Amino acid sequence: MWFVFLSSGSALLQTFTEEQMKRYEAFRRSGFTKSKLKKVVAKIVENQKVSEEINIVVSALAKMFVGDLVETARVVMTEWQHTGPIRPCHIKEAYRRLKLEGKTFKRTVPPLFR
Amino acid sequence: MQNPSPSPSPATATGAPTNPTTTTGATTNKGKAPASAAQHSSAEASLKRKRGFFQKDLQHMMYGFGDDANPLPETVALVEDIVVEYITDLVYKAQNVASKRGKLLTEDFLYLIRKDLPKFNRCKELLSMNEELKQARKAFDVSEENLATANDQV
């Protein structure tokens, strides 16, 4: 899993189909609306003002986490030989795997004995 | 998307039991001290207002990362719940790291994410770009000021 930006002169970009170009554009331009994310973070922090830098970091981490979820879900779909749009069951399985990999933050102590 | 020939899948690949994970967005914090329960319930209260809060943002994002051009609404809703929980846990933990110092800083987040190199590097990159922009804006403001005073003196 990578987070690669191609420079506009890149030879690879020139080989993109229209569909690939659209998807790449969505990948580059998508993001959490600044004001909305600020509200969410402010709710959690409560007593402090949230700096712009913190919003930058949280926004980046959340976006990359979505990337983890979606890409892992696609891997799951390949394993289960499913096609079409991603379904909640794929996301659930992806989330389960990410948790095992330690890519999430658990607030509760994980069960030591199962 | 094309499906390549199936790789030798481990036993868990065939419909692994879906854990009763948070699909409604409510975190199950069992046996937590009462002090944090208040904070937990306020986080829960804010979560309840979140129906489709990030829907449009997430639709574009999921498409960009590999989903269909029109992701399923129920999938987007689930991703939203999971991401909001991720953000909540992340910020909550960062606060704990920062609590000795008092103020929440980006260093706290960088510490938490230190083992996830792509995320760590991306954050560093964005923060340094932001710093450059701030410096550039400062320099611009200073030169604007100099121009203004210079014109006044003419």
Side-chain angles (χ1 to χ4, degrees), chain B residues 46-105:
Chain B
S46 61
L47 282 171
K48 280 177 193 152
R49 263 185 263 125
K50 288 294 175 294
R51 268 303 136 201
F53 194 61
F54 286 122
Q55 190 186 24
K56 291 217 174 79
D57 295 336
L58 281 175
Q59 281 170 333
H60 290 303
M61 223 184 278
M62 288 171 68
Y63 171 54
F65 279 121
D67 199 356
D68 238 49
N70 296 306
L72 295 176
E74 53 264 36
T75 312
V76 178
L78 177 59
V79 170
E80 174 170 330
D81 288 341
I82 295 177
V83 164
V84 171
E85 179 172 313
Y86 178 80
I87 293 171
T88 308
D89 292 347
L90 168 66
V91 176
Y92 188 79
K93 279 212 151 180
Q95 269 194 305
N96 287 346
V97 171
S99 62
K100 308 135 202 165
R101 200 191 312 110
K103 188 166 184 192
L104 194 58
L105 295 176

Short mmCIF file of all heavy atoms in Angstrom, two decimals, chain B residues 46-105:
data_model
loop_
_atom_site.label_atom_id
_atom_site.label_comp_id
_atom_site.label_asym_id
_atom_site.label_seq_id
_atom_site.Cartn_x
_atom_site.Cartn_y
_atom_site.Cartn_z
N SER B 46 -22.02 12.77 20.31
CA SER B 46 -21.68 13.43 19.07
C SER B 46 -21.76 12.45 17.91
O SER B 46 -22.09 12.81 16.81
CB SER B 46 -20.29 14.04 19.16
OG SER B 46 -19.35 13.01 19.39
N LEU B 47 -21.47 11.16 18.17
CA LEU B 47 -21.53 10.18 17.10
C LEU B 47 -22.95 10.02 16.60
O LEU B 47 -23.20 9.76 15.44
CB LEU B 47 -21.00 8.83 17.59
CG LEU B 47 -19.48 8.70 17.67
CD1 LEU B 47 -19.09 7.42 18.38
CD2 LEU B 47 -18.88 8.71 16.28
N LYS B 48 -23.93 10.16 17.50
CA LYS B 48 -25.30 9.91 17.09
C LYS B 48 -25.77 10.94 16.07
O LYS B 48 -26.71 10.70 15.33
CB LYS B 48 -26.23 9.95 18.32
CG LYS B 48 -26.20 8.66 19.11
CD LYS B 48 -27.04 8.71 20.36
CE LYS B 48 -26.70 7.51 21.25
NZ LYS B 48 -26.93 7.79 22.67
N ARG B 49 -25.08 12.09 16.01
CA ARG B 49 -25.52 13.10 15.07
C ARG B 49 -24.90 12.90 13.70
O ARG B 49 -25.10 13.69 12.81
CB ARG B 49 -25.13 14.49 15.59
CG ARG B 49 -26.25 15.18 16.32
CD ARG B 49 -25.87 16.59 16.70
NE ARG B 49 -25.40 16.64 18.07
CZ ARG B 49 -24.22 17.13 18.42
NH1 ARG B 49 -23.39 17.60 17.52
NH2 ARG B 49 -23.88 17.16 19.67
N LYS B 50 -24.16 11.77 13.54
CA LYS B 50 -23.28 11.72 12.40
C LYS B 50 -23.86 11.10 11.12
O LYS B 50 -23.15 10.90 10.17
CB LYS B 50 -21.99 10.96 12.72
CG LYS B 50 -21.06 11.70 13.62
CD LYS B 50 -20.50 12.95 12.97
CE LYS B 50 -19.67 13.70 13.96
NZ LYS B 50 -20.51 14.23 15.07
N ARG B 51 -25.14 10.77 11.08
CA ARG B 51 -25.67 10.08 9.92
C ARG B 51 -25.36 10.83 8.62
O ARG B 51 -25.84 11.94 8.41
CB ARG B 51 -27.19 9.90 10.05
CG ARG B 51 -27.59 8.59 10.68
CD ARG B 51 -27.02 7.44 9.94
NE ARG B 51 -26.46 6.42 10.82
CZ ARG B 51 -25.58 5.53 10.45
NH1 ARG B 51 -25.15 5.50 9.23
NH2 ARG B 51 -25.13 4.63 11.28
N GLY B 52 -24.54 10.21 7.76
CA GLY B 52 -24.24 10.82 6.47
C GLY B 52 -23.48 12.12 6.57
O GLY B 52 -23.51 12.93 5.64
N PHE B 53 -22.80 12.32 7.69
CA PHE B 53 -22.08 13.57 7.89
C PHE B 53 -20.96 13.74 6.87
O PHE B 53 -20.76 14.81 6.31
CB PHE B 53 -21.53 13.59 9.32
CG PHE B 53 -21.05 14.93 9.79
CD1 PHE B 53 -21.91 16.00 9.87
CD2 PHE B 53 -19.74 15.12 10.18
CE1 PHE B 53 -21.48 17.24 10.31
CE2 PHE B 53 -19.30 16.35 10.63
CZ PHE B 53 -20.17 17.41 10.70
N PHE B 54 -20.22 12.66 6.66
CA PHE B 54 -19.09 12.70 5.71
C PHE B 54 -19.41 11.97 4.42
O PHE B 54 -18.50 11.61 3.66
CB PHE B 54 -17.87 12.04 6.35
CG PHE B 54 -17.21 12.87 7.42
CD1 PHE B 54 -17.07 12.39 8.71
CD2 PHE B 54 -16.74 14.14 7.15
CE1 PHE B 54 -16.47 13.15 9.70
CE2 PHE B 54 -16.13 14.91 8.13
CZ PHE B 54 -15.99 14.41 9.41
N GLN B 55 -20.69 11.78 4.17
CA GLN B 55 -21.07 10.89 3.07
C GLN B 55 -20.43 11.29 1.74
O GLN B 55 -19.80 10.48 1.08
CB GLN B 55 -22.58 10.85 2.94
CG GLN B 55 -23.06 9.79 2.00
CD GLN B 55 -24.55 9.86 1.77
OE1 GLN B 55 -25.16 10.91 1.94
NE2 GLN B 55 -25.15 8.75 1.41
N LYS B 56 -20.60 12.57 1.36
CA LYS B 56 -20.09 12.99 0.06
C LYS B 56 -18.57 12.88 0.00
O LYS B 56 -18.02 12.40 -0.98
CB LYS B 56 -20.50 14.44 -0.24
CG LYS B 56 -21.98 14.62 -0.49
CD LYS B 56 -22.28 15.66 -1.56
CE LYS B 56 -23.75 15.70 -1.90
NZ LYS B 56 -24.55 16.46 -0.89
N ASP B 57 -17.92 13.34 1.08
CA ASP B 57 -16.45 13.24 1.11
C ASP B 57 -16.01 11.80 0.93
O ASP B 57 -15.10 11.50 0.16
CB ASP B 57 -15.91 13.76 2.46
CG ASP B 57 -16.18 15.24 2.65
OD1 ASP B 57 -16.33 15.96 1.64
OD2 ASP B 57 -16.22 15.67 3.82
N LEU B 58 -16.68 10.91 1.68
CA LEU B 58 -16.26 9.51 1.66
C LEU B 58 -16.53 8.84 0.32
O LEU B 58 -15.77 7.99 -0.12
CB LEU B 58 -16.97 8.73 2.77
CG LEU B 58 -16.37 8.90 4.16
CD1 LEU B 58 -17.21 8.18 5.19
CD2 LEU B 58 -14.95 8.38 4.21
N GLN B 59 -17.60 9.23 -0.34
CA GLN B 59 -17.90 8.62 -1.64
C GLN B 59 -16.75 8.86 -2.62
O GLN B 59 -16.29 7.94 -3.30
CB GLN B 59 -19.20 9.18 -2.21
CG GLN B 59 -20.44 8.54 -1.58
CD GLN B 59 -21.71 9.26 -1.97
OE1 GLN B 59 -21.70 10.45 -2.26
NE2 GLN B 59 -22.82 8.54 -1.97
N HIS B 60 -16.28 10.10 -2.67
CA HIS B 60 -15.16 10.41 -3.57
C HIS B 60 -13.90 9.68 -3.15
O HIS B 60 -13.16 9.15 -3.96
CB HIS B 60 -14.89 11.92 -3.56
CG HIS B 60 -15.95 12.72 -4.21
ND1 HIS B 60 -16.33 12.50 -5.53
CD2 HIS B 60 -16.73 13.71 -3.77
CE1 HIS B 60 -17.30 13.35 -5.85
NE2 HIS B 60 -17.56 14.10 -4.80
N MET B 61 -13.68 9.66 -1.83
CA MET B 61 -12.48 9.05 -1.30
C MET B 61 -12.44 7.56 -1.61
O MET B 61 -11.43 7.02 -2.05
CB MET B 61 -12.42 9.26 0.22
CG MET B 61 -11.07 9.66 0.71
SD MET B 61 -11.03 9.78 2.48
CE MET B 61 -11.70 11.40 2.72
N MET B 62 -13.55 6.89 -1.38
CA MET B 62 -13.59 5.45 -1.57
C MET B 62 -13.42 5.11 -3.06
O MET B 62 -12.75 4.14 -3.41
CB MET B 62 -14.91 4.88 -1.03
CG MET B 62 -14.94 4.89 0.50
SD MET B 62 -16.54 4.50 1.19
CE MET B 62 -16.71 2.78 0.73
N TYR B 63 -14.01 5.90 -3.91
CA TYR B 63 -13.81 5.71 -5.34
C TYR B 63 -12.33 5.87 -5.66
O TYR B 63 -11.74 5.05 -6.37
CB TYR B 63 -14.65 6.70 -6.12
CG TYR B 63 -14.35 6.73 -7.61
CD1 TYR B 63 -14.39 5.57 -8.38
CD2 TYR B 63 -14.04 7.93 -8.24
CE1 TYR B 63 -14.11 5.60 -9.74
CE2 TYR B 63 -13.78 7.96 -9.60
CZ TYR B 63 -13.81 6.81 -10.34
OH TYR B 63 -13.54 6.85 -11.68
N GLY B 64 -11.72 6.92 -5.14
CA GLY B 64 -10.30 7.16 -5.40
C GLY B 64 -9.43 6.00 -4.95
O GLY B 64 -8.41 5.69 -5.57
N PHE B 65 -9.82 5.34 -3.86
CA PHE B 65 -9.00 4.25 -3.33
C PHE B 65 -9.35 2.90 -3.93
O PHE B 65 -8.71 1.90 -3.59
CB PHE B 65 -9.15 4.18 -1.81
CG PHE B 65 -8.29 5.18 -1.07
CD1 PHE B 65 -8.86 6.11 -0.23
CD2 PHE B 65 -6.92 5.16 -1.22
CE1 PHE B 65 -8.07 7.04 0.44
CE2 PHE B 65 -6.12 6.08 -0.53
CZ PHE B 65 -6.70 7.01 0.30
N GLY B 66 -10.35 2.82 -4.79
CA GLY B 66 -10.57 1.54 -5.46
C GLY B 66 -11.99 1.02 -5.47
O GLY B 66 -12.26 -0.02 -6.05
N ASP B 67 -12.89 1.73 -4.82
CA ASP B 67 -14.27 1.23 -4.84
C ASP B 67 -14.93 1.65 -6.15
O ASP B 67 -14.35 2.33 -6.98
CB ASP B 67 -15.04 1.79 -3.63
CG ASP B 67 -16.29 0.98 -3.32
OD1 ASP B 67 -16.61 0.03 -4.07
OD2 ASP B 67 -16.96 1.30 -2.32
N ASP B 68 -16.17 1.23 -6.31
CA ASP B 68 -16.98 1.61 -7.46
C ASP B 68 -17.13 3.12 -7.54
O ASP B 68 -17.03 3.81 -6.54
CB ASP B 68 -18.37 0.99 -7.28
CG ASP B 68 -18.73 0.10 -8.44
OD1 ASP B 68 -17.88 -0.75 -8.81
OD2 ASP B 68 -19.82 0.28 -8.99
N ALA B 69 -17.45 3.61 -8.72
CA ALA B 69 -17.70 5.05 -8.88
C ALA B 69 -18.86 5.49 -8.00
O ALA B 69 -18.88 6.62 -7.50
CB ALA B 69 -17.97 5.37 -10.34
N ASN B 70 -19.82 4.62 -7.81
CA ASN B 70 -20.92 4.88 -6.88
C ASN B 70 -20.92 3.82 -5.79
O ASN B 70 -21.54 2.77 -5.94
CB ASN B 70 -22.26 4.84 -7.61
CG ASN B 70 -22.36 5.94 -8.65
OD1 ASN B 70 -22.16 7.10 -8.35
ND2 ASN B 70 -22.64 5.54 -9.89
N PRO B 71 -20.19 4.08 -4.71
CA PRO B 71 -20.14 3.06 -3.64
C PRO B 71 -21.51 2.83 -3.03
O PRO B 71 -22.36 3.72 -3.03
CB PRO B 71 -19.19 3.68 -2.61
CG PRO B 71 -18.49 4.78 -3.31
CD PRO B 71 -19.41 5.25 -4.39
N LEU B 72 -21.72 1.63 -2.53
CA LEU B 72 -23.00 1.31 -1.90
C LEU B 72 -23.21 2.18 -0.67
O LEU B 72 -22.29 2.35 0.14
CB LEU B 72 -23.04 -0.16 -1.49
CG LEU B 72 -22.98 -1.19 -2.61
CD1 LEU B 72 -22.92 -2.60 -2.01
CD2 LEU B 72 -24.19 -1.07 -3.52
N PRO B 73 -24.41 2.72 -0.50
CA PRO B 73 -24.67 3.61 0.65
C PRO B 73 -24.40 2.94 1.99
O PRO B 73 -23.87 3.58 2.91
CB PRO B 73 -26.15 3.97 0.51
CG PRO B 73 -26.59 3.49 -0.81
CD PRO B 73 -25.57 2.59 -1.39
N GLU B 74 -24.76 1.67 2.09
CA GLU B 74 -24.54 1.01 3.37
C GLU B 74 -23.05 0.82 3.65
O GLU B 74 -22.61 0.85 4.81
CB GLU B 74 -25.26 -0.35 3.43
CG GLU B 74 -24.95 -1.28 2.28
CD GLU B 74 -25.99 -1.21 1.18
OE1 GLU B 74 -26.52 -0.10 0.94
OE2 GLU B 74 -26.28 -2.25 0.56
N THR B 75 -22.26 0.68 2.58
CA THR B 75 -20.82 0.57 2.76
C THR B 75 -20.24 1.90 3.23
O THR B 75 -19.40 1.95 4.13
CB THR B 75 -20.14 0.12 1.46
OG1 THR B 75 -20.84 -0.99 0.92
CG2 THR B 75 -18.69 -0.24 1.70
N VAL B 76 -20.69 2.98 2.58
CA VAL B 76 -20.21 4.31 2.97
C VAL B 76 -20.56 4.60 4.42
O VAL B 76 -19.75 5.13 5.18
CB VAL B 76 -20.81 5.39 2.05
CG1 VAL B 76 -20.35 6.76 2.47
CG2 VAL B 76 -20.43 5.15 0.60
N ALA B 77 -21.78 4.23 4.80
CA ALA B 77 -22.21 4.47 6.17
C ALA B 77 -21.34 3.72 7.16
O ALA B 77 -20.93 4.25 8.21
CB ALA B 77 -23.68 4.07 6.34
N LEU B 78 -21.02 2.49 6.82
CA LEU B 78 -20.17 1.69 7.71
C LEU B 78 -18.78 2.28 7.81
O LEU B 78 -18.20 2.40 8.90
CB LEU B 78 -20.10 0.24 7.22
CG LEU B 78 -19.19 -0.69 8.01
CD1 LEU B 78 -19.63 -0.77 9.46
CD2 LEU B 78 -19.17 -2.09 7.40
N VAL B 79 -18.22 2.66 6.66
CA VAL B 79 -16.88 3.27 6.66
C VAL B 79 -16.89 4.54 7.50
O VAL B 79 -15.96 4.81 8.26
CB VAL B 79 -16.41 3.55 5.22
CG1 VAL B 79 -15.14 4.39 5.23
CG2 VAL B 79 -16.17 2.26 4.48
N GLU B 80 -17.97 5.32 7.38
CA GLU B 80 -18.07 6.55 8.17
C GLU B 80 -18.01 6.24 9.66
O GLU B 80 -17.26 6.87 10.42
CB GLU B 80 -19.35 7.29 7.84
CG GLU B 80 -19.57 8.49 8.73
CD GLU B 80 -20.69 9.37 8.27
OE1 GLU B 80 -20.95 9.42 7.05
OE2 GLU B 80 -21.31 10.01 9.13
N ASP B 81 -18.80 5.24 10.08
CA ASP B 81 -18.80 4.87 11.49
C ASP B 81 -17.40 4.46 11.95
O ASP B 81 -16.93 4.88 13.01
CB ASP B 81 -19.77 3.71 11.73
CG ASP B 81 -21.22 4.14 11.64
OD1 ASP B 81 -21.49 5.35 11.74
OD2 ASP B 81 -22.09 3.28 11.45
N ILE B 82 -16.75 3.65 11.14
CA ILE B 82 -15.43 3.16 11.52
C ILE B 82 -14.41 4.30 11.56
O ILE B 82 -13.59 4.39 12.47
CB ILE B 82 -14.96 2.06 10.54
CG1 ILE B 82 -15.87 0.84 10.65
CG2 ILE B 82 -13.51 1.68 10.80
CD1 ILE B 82 -15.55 -0.28 9.68
N VAL B 83 -14.47 5.20 10.58
CA VAL B 83 -13.50 6.29 10.53
C VAL B 83 -13.71 7.27 11.68
O VAL B 83 -12.75 7.75 12.28
CB VAL B 83 -13.59 7.03 9.17
CG1 VAL B 83 -12.89 8.36 9.24
CG2 VAL B 83 -12.99 6.19 8.09
N VAL B 84 -14.97 7.56 11.99
CA VAL B 84 -15.23 8.47 13.11
C VAL B 84 -14.71 7.85 14.40
O VAL B 84 -14.13 8.53 15.26
CB VAL B 84 -16.74 8.80 13.22
CG1 VAL B 84 -17.03 9.54 14.51
CG2 VAL B 84 -17.17 9.63 12.03
N GLU B 85 -14.88 6.54 14.54
CA GLU B 85 -14.33 5.87 15.72
C GLU B 85 -12.81 5.95 15.71
O GLU B 85 -12.19 6.20 16.74
CB GLU B 85 -14.78 4.41 15.74
CG GLU B 85 -14.21 3.64 16.92
CD GLU B 85 -14.79 2.25 17.04
OE1 GLU B 85 -16.02 2.13 16.95
OE2 GLU B 85 -14.02 1.31 17.22
N TYR B 86 -12.21 5.78 14.54
CA TYR B 86 -10.76 5.86 14.41
C TYR B 86 -10.25 7.23 14.84
O TYR B 86 -9.31 7.36 15.61
CB TYR B 86 -10.37 5.58 12.95
CG TYR B 86 -8.89 5.67 12.66
CD1 TYR B 86 -8.04 4.61 12.97
CD2 TYR B 86 -8.35 6.80 12.05
CE1 TYR B 86 -6.69 4.69 12.69
CE2 TYR B 86 -7.01 6.88 11.77
CZ TYR B 86 -6.18 5.82 12.09
OH TYR B 86 -4.84 5.90 11.80
N ILE B 87 -10.91 8.26 14.34
CA ILE B 87 -10.52 9.63 14.69
C ILE B 87 -10.68 9.86 16.18
O ILE B 87 -9.82 10.45 16.84
CB ILE B 87 -11.37 10.64 13.89
CG1 ILE B 87 -11.05 10.54 12.40
CG2 ILE B 87 -11.14 12.06 14.38
CD1 ILE B 87 -11.99 11.35 11.52
N THR B 88 -11.81 9.38 16.72
CA THR B 88 -12.07 9.57 18.14
C THR B 88 -10.98 8.91 18.97
O THR B 88 -10.40 9.53 19.87
CB THR B 88 -13.45 8.98 18.51
OG1 THR B 88 -14.43 9.50 17.64
CG2 THR B 88 -13.81 9.31 19.94
N ASP B 89 -10.70 7.64 18.67
CA ASP B 89 -9.67 6.92 19.43
C ASP B 89 -8.31 7.59 19.28
O ASP B 89 -7.56 7.71 20.24
CB ASP B 89 -9.58 5.46 18.94
CG ASP B 89 -10.82 4.65 19.29
OD1 ASP B 89 -11.62 5.13 20.10
OD2 ASP B 89 -10.98 3.55 18.74
N LEU B 90 -8.00 8.03 18.06
CA LEU B 90 -6.72 8.67 17.78
C LEU B 90 -6.55 9.93 18.61
O LEU B 90 -5.53 10.12 19.29
CB LEU B 90 -6.63 9.00 16.29
CG LEU B 90 -5.51 9.90 15.83
CD1 LEU B 90 -4.16 9.23 16.02
CD2 LEU B 90 -5.69 10.28 14.37
N VAL B 91 -7.55 10.80 18.56
CA VAL B 91 -7.45 12.08 19.26
C VAL B 91 -7.45 11.85 20.77
O VAL B 91 -6.71 12.49 21.52
CB VAL B 91 -8.60 13.02 18.85
CG1 VAL B 91 -8.57 14.30 19.66
CG2 VAL B 91 -8.51 13.35 17.37
N TYR B 92 -8.27 10.91 21.21
CA TYR B 92 -8.34 10.58 22.63
C TYR B 92 -6.98 10.13 23.14
O TYR B 92 -6.50 10.58 24.18
CB TYR B 92 -9.39 9.49 22.82
CG TYR B 92 -9.72 9.18 24.25
CD1 TYR B 92 -10.56 9.99 25.00
CD2 TYR B 92 -9.18 8.05 24.87
CE1 TYR B 92 -10.87 9.69 26.31
CE2 TYR B 92 -9.48 7.75 26.19
CZ TYR B 92 -10.33 8.56 26.91
OH TYR B 92 -10.62 8.26 28.20
N LYS B 93 -6.34 9.22 22.38
CA LYS B 93 -5.02 8.73 22.77
C LYS B 93 -3.97 9.83 22.73
O LYS B 93 -3.09 9.89 23.59
CB LYS B 93 -4.59 7.59 21.85
CG LYS B 93 -5.18 6.25 22.21
CD LYS B 93 -4.23 5.11 21.87
CE LYS B 93 -4.46 3.95 22.80
NZ LYS B 93 -3.57 2.83 22.52
N ALA B 94 -4.08 10.71 21.74
CA ALA B 94 -3.11 11.80 21.64
C ALA B 94 -3.24 12.72 22.85
O ALA B 94 -2.24 13.23 23.37
CB ALA B 94 -3.35 12.59 20.35
N GLN B 95 -4.47 12.90 23.29
CA GLN B 95 -4.69 13.71 24.49
C GLN B 95 -4.00 13.09 25.70
O GLN B 95 -3.42 13.79 26.51
CB GLN B 95 -6.18 13.82 24.77
CG GLN B 95 -6.84 15.01 24.12
CD GLN B 95 -8.21 15.27 24.69
OE1 GLN B 95 -9.04 14.39 24.69
NE2 GLN B 95 -8.43 16.47 25.18
N ASN B 96 -4.11 11.76 25.80
CA ASN B 96 -3.45 11.07 26.91
C ASN B 96 -1.95 11.28 26.87
O ASN B 96 -1.31 11.52 27.88
CB ASN B 96 -3.76 9.57 26.87
CG ASN B 96 -5.20 9.28 27.27
OD1 ASN B 96 -5.87 10.13 27.82
ND2 ASN B 96 -5.66 8.08 26.96
N VAL B 97 -1.39 11.19 25.67
CA VAL B 97 0.06 11.39 25.52
C VAL B 97 0.42 12.82 25.90
O VAL B 97 1.45 13.08 26.51
CB VAL B 97 0.48 11.10 24.06
CG1 VAL B 97 1.92 11.51 23.83
CG2 VAL B 97 0.31 9.63 23.73
N ALA B 98 -0.45 13.76 25.55
CA ALA B 98 -0.15 15.17 25.78
C ALA B 98 -0.48 15.62 27.19
O ALA B 98 -0.08 16.69 27.60
CB ALA B 98 -0.94 16.02 24.79
N SER B 99 -1.20 14.78 27.95
CA SER B 99 -1.80 15.25 29.20
C SER B 99 -0.77 15.78 30.19
O SER B 99 -1.04 16.73 30.91
CB SER B 99 -2.61 14.14 29.85
OG SER B 99 -1.75 13.06 30.18
N LYS B 100 0.44 15.18 30.18
CA LYS B 100 1.44 15.67 31.13
C LYS B 100 1.84 17.10 30.79
O LYS B 100 2.08 17.92 31.65
CB LYS B 100 2.70 14.77 31.10
CG LYS B 100 2.38 13.30 31.28
CD LYS B 100 3.15 12.45 30.28
CE LYS B 100 2.47 11.10 30.07
NZ LYS B 100 2.95 10.41 28.89
N ARG B 101 1.95 17.36 29.51
CA ARG B 101 2.36 18.69 29.07
C ARG B 101 1.19 19.66 29.13
O ARG B 101 1.35 20.82 29.45
CB ARG B 101 2.87 18.60 27.62
CG ARG B 101 3.74 19.76 27.21
CD ARG B 101 3.97 19.74 25.71
NE ARG B 101 4.37 18.44 25.20
CZ ARG B 101 3.58 17.67 24.44
NH1 ARG B 101 2.38 18.06 24.11
NH2 ARG B 101 4.01 16.50 24.00
N GLY B 102 0.02 19.18 28.79
CA GLY B 102 -1.16 20.04 28.82
C GLY B 102 -1.71 20.29 27.44
O GLY B 102 -2.84 19.91 27.13
N LYS B 103 -0.93 20.90 26.57
CA LYS B 103 -1.48 21.27 25.26
C LYS B 103 -1.27 20.15 24.25
O LYS B 103 -0.25 19.47 24.25
CB LYS B 103 -0.80 22.55 24.76
CG LYS B 103 -1.46 23.06 23.52
CD LYS B 103 -1.08 24.45 23.15
CE LYS B 103 -1.93 24.82 21.93
NZ LYS B 103 -1.50 26.01 21.29
N LEU B 104 -2.24 20.00 23.38
CA LEU B 104 -2.19 18.97 22.35
C LEU B 104 -1.32 19.46 21.20
O LEU B 104 -1.56 20.53 20.64
CB LEU B 104 -3.61 18.68 21.87
CG LEU B 104 -3.83 17.41 21.03
CD1 LEU B 104 -3.40 16.18 21.79
CD2 LEU B 104 -5.30 17.29 20.66
N LEU B 105 -0.29 18.69 20.87
CA LEU B 105 0.60 19.09 19.78
C LEU B 105 0.67 18.02 18.71
O LEU B 105 0.34 16.85 18.96
CB LEU B 105 2.02 19.33 20.32
CG LEU B 105 2.22 20.49 21.30
CD1 LEU B 105 3.65 20.50 21.79
CD2 LEU B 105 1.88 21.81 20.62
#
